[in-house]
């Protein structure tokens, strides 16, 4: 099929051979699971279990809160040993509300779990509801609740579902393995999603460094004329949703908009697989495939990991470290985040755990910018990272925003190529965070102002009402007095008349 | 400047560094430089050595005074490259102090006073060359015909020392003919009322201009070897094609146009492309990373501006060659070009408004 060119991008050493040949293994259960109640973008889930309670695999542990949220389920059967704070799967190392579960070793599914024989007979809204109830979020790392995306048909005119199997981050092979080993299930999930979205056309985009996955999906798609495999050129960030869609349909997503604006919705293969499991078997999202790789890992592997497994357990399974890693990364090396410790649990959005050596990270000394424009050439969004960083560095965030800071997708291509090792992504993340904080502060300010104004208006109204009531009472009293006086005189008159 | 505190990725990096970039440029310069050194013999070798050493010492001294770490900046190769580029544009038998003064101007005045690497508005080598040309017009325009090293007429080591350091006039020592450059010859003869084609027939040969066996500055005579280096830089993506192509294209276009209008006074494009510092300027001077625009369209405009100015200066001013002036003038416009010529942002039109599609979204696929 015809593909369209995107601008910029880089060609990092993909290092996928470390783990690409390793089939997905089921990871054994750790002694204790720590299941965070925030594994998604949106509101924290609220626990519905008590300490000491026995739960079955797949049983609801915490319910979603509000429109954008996701529930959390028991990854195995066992006993709830605690509901409290535990270090989050996040660079900050801060704690998050977490349910701790001690597996009983039986791994017994809940009896309430029931699949659907024909998901295509279901109403699209019902599919979205079940996906929401299964706690499925975007598993490429964005962790946006998938059901919200399934409901986009209500507001947009959609025509295509894209399954994003680009997996352009170096090292990661979990989507590759999943597409190779479970191609039928991935496509079934994709078809269910397409049904929910009300679109018939499905494109599965896979980069050319995964010929086996391309072949497996193409083979599985032979009986479905609506599904096509797009063989994508190898280039980071091909897996960026907006750039993938541009490659496939030749259109850019309007700034600040969604791909749905041009009729396309994008889902990850692992998400499609989770949808398949949820609809066909009724199984909620309780495990995911992760790539455990990097130069410091003894045996790089692809593992199906129960959510909540401490990452130390994965490392142990892979034979531990060969050397002390310079960096422990969740996700890929380009956009992943460093992990503060190996105690943190596995979460829904974690597609990789990388232990990188000094040689692999190659973080050199930062030198002054030599304006070589490599970052300008590399930027897939047509921005000027060199100028944006200069503004951000000088504290002129508005200037950086004017140059397109908010159009930056944070892919890190600029920092990757920078010969001066300038931490461009760091500047932009800081500036974006600061702008968001300012936005919140400003909103708070206007909200406070509005409330104060409303209050004084209310007070004014009350005062006025009181005054009016007082005046009214006064008037009434005066009127009564007058009436009384009149009555008195009347009485007098009558008496006088009588006397006369 | 350790990055251990960094939280944001990427945690991978291309094999690139400032030193590598500078090293690639030097590698690209090497063939033309070696050729220049061979054909202008020992005086040229001494001059480039003096120029490079002065550049390094000046850089180290400035870094020390500014309180910056000396080692990482001295080893990034930028000072050597500035000195090198300057030496390429000097008359090969110029006295030693031309190299010293030039390097001091390039490093101290044009680079370090502006704030060091990456901060200079003007190309340091060109600032130095223009300053020298204006201050010492005699020394800066005394060219010699090439006398390849070890050839009969070439000066030996001692004679070379005498020429570079002893203030000896070349003609008194060796049998070398002091040859004007093709551009200089053209300027003089045109001034005496001769017609361009006639002068060209006497002094210019396209083949010699391509190979570089003509009199001229140390490293700018061989268009072929400079082109080779330039293509290497393009292949290595150190420079992009916009500046050289736009600059050479504009010179060729302007020269063709004027030649067709008035062949008596204007020579054709081949003459302009193969003489003077045209190729060196297009591939190594105008493309200087620090002082040229960052966007592709900006670079094209910058290159075209350089080309036009080169032609204008050569044709209508009192200087026979204009690459240095042209590049410096365009350097001054770089901030403006960068401000106005930005790439189009993804998802936005040229004016910066979000893209709007009609109601035909579903037809798109």
């Amino acid at each position: 099929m015809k593909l369209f060119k995107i601008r910029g991008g880089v060609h990092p050493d993909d290092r996928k051979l470390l783990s690409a040949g390793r089939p997905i293994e089921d990871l054994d259960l750790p002694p204790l699971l720590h299941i965070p109640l925030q594994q998604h973008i949106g509101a924290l889930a609220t626990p519905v279990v008590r300490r000491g309670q026995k739960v079955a695999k797949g049983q609801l542990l915490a319910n979603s809160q509000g429109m954008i949220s996701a529930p959390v389920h028991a990854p195995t059967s066992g006993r709830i040993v605690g509901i409290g704070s535990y270090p989050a799967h996040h660079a900050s190392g801060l704690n998050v509300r977490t349910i701790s579960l001690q597996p009983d070793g039986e791994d017994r599914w809940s009896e309430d779990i029931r699949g659907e024989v024909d998901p295509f007979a279901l109403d699209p809204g019902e599919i979205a509801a079940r996906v929401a109830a299964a706690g499925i979020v975007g598993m490429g790392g964005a962790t946006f609740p998938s059901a919200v995306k399934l409901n986009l048909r209500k507001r947009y005119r959609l025509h295509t579902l894209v399954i994003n199997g680009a997996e352009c981050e170096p090292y990661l092979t979990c989507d590759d393995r999943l597409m190779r080993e479970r191609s039928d299930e991935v496509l079934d999930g994709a078809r269910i999603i397409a049904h929910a979205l009300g679109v018939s056309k499905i494109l599965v985009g896979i980069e050319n460094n995964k010929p086996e996955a391309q072949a497996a999906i193409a083979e599985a798609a032979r009986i479905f004329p609506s599904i096509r495999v797009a063989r994508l050129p190898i280039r980071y960030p091909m897996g960026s949703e907006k750039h993938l869609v541009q490659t496939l349909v030749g259109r850019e997503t309007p700034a600040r908009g969604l791909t749905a604006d041009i009729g396309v919705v994008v889902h990850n293969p692992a998400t499609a697989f989770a949808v398949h499991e949820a609809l066909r078997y009724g199984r909620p999202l309780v495990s995911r495939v992760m790539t455990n790789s990097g130069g410091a890992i003894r045996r790089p592997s692809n593992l199906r990991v129960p959510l909540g497994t401490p990452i130390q357990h994965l490392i142990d399974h892979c034979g531990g470290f060969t050397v002390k890693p310079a960096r422990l990364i969740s996700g890929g090396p380009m956009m992943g985040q460093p992990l503060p410790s190996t105690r943190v649990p596995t979460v829904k959005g974690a597609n990789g755990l990388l232990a990188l050596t000094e040689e692999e990270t190659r973080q050199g000394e930062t030198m002054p910018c030599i304006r070589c424009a490599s970052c300008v050439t590399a930027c897939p969004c047509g921005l000027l990272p060199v100028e944006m960083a200069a503004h951000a560095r000088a504290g002129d965030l508005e200037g950086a925003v004017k140059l397109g800071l908010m159009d930056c997708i944070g892919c890190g291509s600029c920092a990757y190529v920078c010969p001066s090792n300038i931490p461009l992504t760091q500047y932009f993340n800081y500036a974006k965070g600061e702008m968001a904080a300012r936005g919140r502060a400003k909103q708070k300010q206007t909200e406070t102002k509005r409330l104060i104004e409303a209050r004084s208006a209310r007070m004014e109204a009350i005062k006025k009402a009181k005054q009016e009531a007082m005046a009214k009472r006064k008037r009434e009293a005066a009127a009564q007095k007058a009436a009384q006086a009149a009555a008195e005189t009347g009485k007098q008159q009558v008496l006088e008349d009588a006397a006369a | 400047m350790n990055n251990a505190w960094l939280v944001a990725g990427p945690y991978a990096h291309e094999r690139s560094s400032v030193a590598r970039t500078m090293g690639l440029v030097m590698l690209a310069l090497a063939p033309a430089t070696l050729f220049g050194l061979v054909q202008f013999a020992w005086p040229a070798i001494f001059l480039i050595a003096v120029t490079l050493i002065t550049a390094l010492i000046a850089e180290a001294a400035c870094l020390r005074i500014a309180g910056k770490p000396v080692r990482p900046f001295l080893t990034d190769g930028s000072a050597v490259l500035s000195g090198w580029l300057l030496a390429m544009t000097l008359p090969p038998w110029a006295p030693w102090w031309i190299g010293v003064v030039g390097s001091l101007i390039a490093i101290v005045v044009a680079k370090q006073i502006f704030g060091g690497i990456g901060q200079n508005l003007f190309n340091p080598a060109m600032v130095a060359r223009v300053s020298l040309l204006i201050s010492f017009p005699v020394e800066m325009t005394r060219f010699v015909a090439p006398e390849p090293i070890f050839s009969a007429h070439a000066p030996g080591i001692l004679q070379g020392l005498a020429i570079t350091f002893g203030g000896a006039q070349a003609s008194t020592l060796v049998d070398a003919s002091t040859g004007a450059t093709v551009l200089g010859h053209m300027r003089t003869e045109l001034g005496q009322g001769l017609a361009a084609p006639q002068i060209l027939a006497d002094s210019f040969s396209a083949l010699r201009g391509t190979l570089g066996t003509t009199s001229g500055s140390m490293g700018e005579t061989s268009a072929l070897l400079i082109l080779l280096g330039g293509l290497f830089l393009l292949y290595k993506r150190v420079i992009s094609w916009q500046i050289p192509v736009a600059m050479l294209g504009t010179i060729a276009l302007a020269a063709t146009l004027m030649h067709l209008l008035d062949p008596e006074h204007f020579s054709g494009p081949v003459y302009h492309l193969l003489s003077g510092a045209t190729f060196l300027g297009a591939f190594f001077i105008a493309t200087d990373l620090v002082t040229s625009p960052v966007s592709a369209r900006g670079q094209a405009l910058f290159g075209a501006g350089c080309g036009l100015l080169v032609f204008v200066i050569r044709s209508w001013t009192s200087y026979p060659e204009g690459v240095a002036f042209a590049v410096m003038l365009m350097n001054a416009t770089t901030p403006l070009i960068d401000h106005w010529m930005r790439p189009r942002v993804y998802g936005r039109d040229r004016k910066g408004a979000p893209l709007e599609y009609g109601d035909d979204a579903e037809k798109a696929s």
Side-chain angles (χ1 to χ4, degrees):
Chain A
M1 63 181 284
K2 179 173 163 45
L3 297 179
F4 299 85
K5 241 180 96 64
I6 56 171
R7 58 158 292 157
V10 293
H11 294 92
D13 182 8
D14 77 6
R15 311 274 288 159
K16 287 182 190 282
L17 284 180
L18 284 174
S19 58
R22 314 266 312 183
I24 299 170
E25 297 168 60
D26 281 324
L27 184 69
D28 53 337
L29 285 167
L32 212 53
L33 292 167
H34 300 284
I35 305 124
L37 300 184
Q38 176 104 60
Q39 303 186 37
H40 49 265
I41 288 177
L44 194 77
T46 356
V48 295
V49 289
R50 296 178 323 277
R51 198 160 84 90
Q53 188 179 336
K54 291 213 159 193
V55 293
K57 185 174 183 177
Q59 186 177 332
L60 185 69
L61 296 183
N63 221 334
S64 60
Q65 279 273 75
M67 281 298 289
I68 301 194
S69 184
V72 174
H73 302 81
T76 186
S77 56
R79 200 165 57 89
I80 306 295
V81 293
I83 302 174
S85 281
Y86 194 79
H89 188 98
H90 187 265
S92 67
L94 292 176
N95 286 349
V96 66
R97 212 156 151 70
T98 301
I99 294 179
S100 297
L101 172 72
Q102 187 178 34
D104 59 12
E106 290 173 30
D107 206 28
R108 174 177 43 84
W109 279 101
S110 159
E111 279 155 21
D112 302 333
I113 286 190
R114 225 160 270 119
E116 195 63 43
V117 182
D118 184 12
F120 298 98
L122 292 175
D123 178 67
E126 177 62 19
I127 292 178
R130 292 202 190 184
V131 167
I136 298 174
V137 300
M139 291 175 73
T143 69
F144 189 78
S146 301
V148 180
K149 268 167 97 176
L150 290 190
N151 281 326
L152 286 176
R153 71 181 186 288
K154 295 175 187 163
R155 282 184 292 137
Y156 295 89
R157 293 166 68 184
L158 306 174
H159 54 76
T160 305
L161 166 67
V162 168
I163 297 298
N164 182 354
E167 203 168 46
C168 59
E169 277 270 11
Y171 295 91
L172 301 187
T173 53
C174 50
D175 291 347
D176 179 15
R177 287 311 311 192
L178 195 68
M179 288 187 290
R180 283 198 223 181
E181 297 176 29
R182 313 300 286 270
S183 40
D184 290 326
E185 288 88 341
V186 169
L187 288 191
D188 186 59
R191 289 177 58 239
I192 295 170
I193 295 173
H195 173 65
L197 292 172
V199 305
S200 54
K201 191 172 164 191
I202 301 174
L203 296 175
V204 187
I206 306 174
E207 269 193 3
N208 284 333
N209 55 5
K210 292 178 272 295
E212 295 91 347
Q214 287 176 340
I217 293 288
E219 176 63 29
R222 272 204 343 211
I223 48 171
F224 305 114
S226 62
I227 303 179
R228 291 183 71 183
V229 175
R231 294 177 164 77
L232 306 171
I234 304 167
R235 183 193 297 184
Y236 179 88
M238 188 52 82
S240 150
E241 177 169 276
K242 292 177 176 181
H243 292 88
L244 176 60
V245 169
Q246 189 193 358
T247 306
L248 294 174
V249 307
R251 281 197 157 183
E252 292 182 8
T253 305
R256 318 304 301 144
L258 302 175
T259 55
D261 286 322
I262 47 175
V264 184
V265 173
V266 183
H267 281 280
N268 177 271
T271 311
F273 181 78
V275 168
H276 159 83
E277 291 267 296
L279 269 293
R280 294 280 179 184
Y281 304 105
R283 293 175 190 158
L285 180 61
V286 292
S287 69
R288 69 154 301 144
V289 181
M290 267 178 91
T291 299
N292 194 0
S293 186
I297 290 278
R298 193 173 305 277
R299 275 196 315 273
S301 326
N302 298 295
L303 304 171
R304 174 159 288 283
V305 186
L307 297 176
T309 306
I311 61 168
Q312 181 64 49
H313 193 66
L314 278 73
I315 297 165
D316 292 342
H317 180 89
C318 296
F321 297 134
T322 49
V323 291
K324 189 175 181 298
R327 287 279 185 185
L328 199 63
I329 309 287
S330 170
M334 297 298 288
M335 287 186 77
Q337 51 174 335
L339 290 177
S341 101
T342 57
R343 285 174 66 208
V344 302
T346 307
V347 292
K348 292 174 182 176
N351 45 10
L353 171 65
L354 305 180
L356 302 178
T357 61
E358 202 73 58
E359 157 61 19
E360 286 174 299
T361 57
R362 271 207 293 275
Q363 212 115 67
E365 294 265 295
T366 299
M367 298 284 285
C369 172
I370 54 167
R371 293 176 38 87
C372 67
S374 300
C375 55
V376 179
T377 316
C379 182
C381 296
L383 301 171
L384 298 173
V386 40
E387 308 263 322
M388 267 160 49
H391 283 274
R393 195 175 172 164
D396 174 20
L397 301 188
E398 278 81 13
V401 170
K402 258 190 206 150
L403 284 166
L405 177 72
M406 294 307 172
D407 292 308
C408 165
I409 56 169
C411 69
S413 297
C414 50
Y416 173 80
V417 294
C418 179
S420 296
N421 277 297
I422 297 171
L424 293 156
T425 322
Q426 175 82 8
Y427 283 128
F428 304 152
N429 286 354
Y430 157 75
K432 284 178 198 166
E434 186 61 29
M435 286 311 290
R438 281 188 196 176
R440 279 194 300 274
K442 195 171 173 193
Q443 201 199 351
K444 198 172 165 188
Q445 212 175 16
T446 42
E447 189 65 4
T448 312
K449 199 173 160 201
R450 190 184 66 78
L451 288 175
I452 291 173
E453 274 167 5
R455 183 174 185 275
S456 50
R458 211 163 55 234
M459 287 304 165
E460 195 64 30
I462 290 173
K463 203 168 145 194
K464 210 169 167 188
K466 267 187 186 162
Q467 277 171 350
E468 264 169 25
M470 191 101 84
K472 197 177 166 195
R473 267 209 305 280
K474 259 185 191 161
R475 274 201 309 279
E476 274 173 4
Q480 209 169 13
K481 222 173 185 178
Q484 219 163 27
E488 290 284 316
T489 4
K491 228 185 197 169
Q492 203 84 35
Q493 200 68 45
V494 172
L495 283 176
E496 277 170 15
D497 286 350
Chain B
M1 282 184 279
N2 193 321
N3 280 339
W5 54 273
L6 273 190
V7 171
Y11 306 99
H13 199 267
E14 196 174 58
R15 287 188 191 280
S16 62
S17 67
V18 176
R20 184 175 177 274
T21 304
M22 300 293 167
L24 285 172
V25 179
M26 289 186 231
L27 200 62
L29 273 176
T33 311
L34 287 177
F35 178 78
L37 295 183
V38 165
Q39 85 163 341
F40 296 115
W42 290 105
I45 296 174
F46 294 135
L47 183 64
I48 194 172
V50 166
T51 311
L52 293 185
I53 291 169
T54 311
L56 273 173
I57 295 173
E59 175 93 348
C62 286
L63 289 171
R64 172 64 64 79
I65 293 168
K68 291 182 184 170
V70 176
R71 182 180 259 275
F73 286 107
L74 206 56
T75 50
D76 67 15
S78 60
V80 174
L81 184 58
S82 293
W84 191 330
L85 281 172
L86 169 65
M88 298 284 275
T89 65
L90 295 179
W93 290 15
W96 62 274
W97 52 267
I98 285 283
V100 170
V101 173
S103 265
L104 288 176
I105 294 171
I107 301 297
V108 181
V109 179
K111 182 180 170 190
Q112 291 294 345
I113 285 181
F114 279 83
I117 183 168
Q119 301 296 316
N120 48 305
L121 184 59
F122 297 101
N123 185 322
M126 290 306 101
V127 173
R129 188 190 141 73
V130 165
S131 309
L132 290 172
L133 186 64
I134 293 170
S135 313
F136 312 107
V138 178
E139 285 80 3
M140 286 298 287
T141 51
R142 193 185 289 143
F143 292 96
V144 289
E147 295 292 350
I149 198 163
F150 305 129
S151 72
H153 296 296
I157 294 190
L158 290 178
Q159 286 167 319
L161 284 172
I163 291 170
T164 309
F165 297 101
Q169 286 298 316
S171 49
T172 62
L173 275 173
V174 288
D175 204 7
S177 52
T178 53
T181 63
V182 177
L183 290 172
H185 184 67
M186 172 71 78
R187 167 53 35 97
T188 330
E189 302 289 293
L190 274 178
Q192 291 177 2
L194 286 159
Q198 201 183 334
I199 311 168
L200 266 194
D202 294 344
S203 63
F204 177 72
S205 135
L207 181 68
R208 285 174 57 206
T210 308
L211 295 177
T213 52
T214 61
S215 55
S217 296
M218 188 186 299
E220 67 180 31
T221 55
S222 173
L224 182 69
L225 291 178
I226 290 166
L227 177 67
L228 208 67
L231 292 177
F232 172 73
L233 288 185
L234 282 172
Y235 169 71
K236 285 285 178 189
R237 301 191 181 196
V238 175
I239 60 172
S240 44
W241 59 268
Q242 281 86 356
I243 291 178
V245 169
M247 182 167 164
L248 296 175
T250 309
I251 293 179
L253 197 73
T256 311
L257 213 68
M258 291 312 290
H259 182 63
L260 289 177
L261 287 175
D262 185 2
E264 286 298 302
H265 289 96
F266 295 93
S267 314
V270 178
Y271 158 82
H272 275 281
L273 290 178
L274 296 179
S275 322
T278 311
F279 267 66
L280 187 73
F283 286 102
F284 289 92
I285 309 284
T287 55
D288 172 47
L289 301 172
V290 176
T291 54
S292 60
V294 292
S295 69
R297 292 192 314 148
Q299 287 169 351
L301 181 67
F302 178 89
C306 287
L308 192 66
L309 283 172
V310 166
F311 185 77
V312 167
I313 293 169
R314 280 181 184 177
S315 304
W316 290 291
T317 73
S318 56
Y319 285 98
E321 172 60 313
V323 169
F325 291 108
V327 171
M328 277 185 67
L329 283 168
M330 288 312 289
N331 284 163
T333 69
T334 293
L336 212 59
I337 293 179
D338 271 343
H339 185 79
W340 290 111
M341 308 273 281
R342 292 189 190 138
R344 186 181 63 81
V345 175
Y346 179 99
R348 294 184 185 275
D349 60 20
R350 283 246 171 249
K351 287 181 185 145
L355 291 178
E356 268 180 57
Y357 299 106
D359 211 6
D360 56 344
E362 59 267 55
K363 276 189 284 176
S365 48

